[in-house]
């Protein structure tokens, strides 16, 4: 069984996924407000929200669209499809 066949099971709201609204359409995905630190001779850190969902739920083009998670509205700044049926949306408030 290919991984792409398991995508719907991966996004279960009984586990880690949450309900959201992308451009007025209900979607389910995994929200993450991540923190990264890279030590490149002084250190660089980055904080940013992201939302991972099935690629089939992502309209084209998606950049600039609104994503509402809970009571917070984000703007999609970059889609990052993995080629296996999942897309991570980098967000900005």
């Amino acid at each position: 069984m290919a991984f792409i066949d398991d995508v719907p099971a991966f996004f279960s709201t009984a586990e880690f996924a949450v309900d959201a609204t992308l451009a007025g359409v209900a979607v389910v995905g995994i929200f993450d407000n991540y923190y990264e630190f890279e030590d490149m001779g002084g250190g660089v850190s980055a904080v940013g929200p992201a939302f991972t969902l099935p690629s089939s739920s992502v309209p084209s083009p998606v950049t600039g669209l609104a994503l509402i998670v809970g009571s917070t509205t984000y703007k999609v700044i970059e889609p990052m499809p993995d080629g296996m049926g999942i897309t991570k949306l980098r967000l900005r408030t």
Side-chain angles (χ1 to χ4, degrees):
M1 177 183 289
F3 177 73
I4 198 162
D5 293 338
D6 295 332
V7 169
F10 183 72
F11 293 103
S12 169
T13 55
E15 297 294 330
F16 300 107
V18 296
D19 294 313
T21 304
L22 177 59
V25 176
V27 294
V28 175
I30 298 172
F31 179 75
D32 184 28
N33 204 3
Y34 67 89
Y35 173 82
E36 289 182 21
F37 179 79
E38 243 181 82
D39 190 2
M40 301 175 81
V44 176
S45 64
V47 177
F51 192 77
T52 305
L53 70 167
S55 297
S56 61
S57 298
V58 179
S60 182
V62 69
T63 302
L65 297 180
L67 177 80
I68 302 169
V69 180
S71 61
T72 305
T73 300
Y74 300 91
K75 181 178 181 179
V76 178
I77 58 171
E78 180 184 18
M80 299 167 49
D82 71 354
M84 299 283 292
I86 296 175
T87 298
K88 178 183 275 189
L89 303 176
R90 287 188 50 230
L91 308 170
R92 178 174 293 140
T93 52

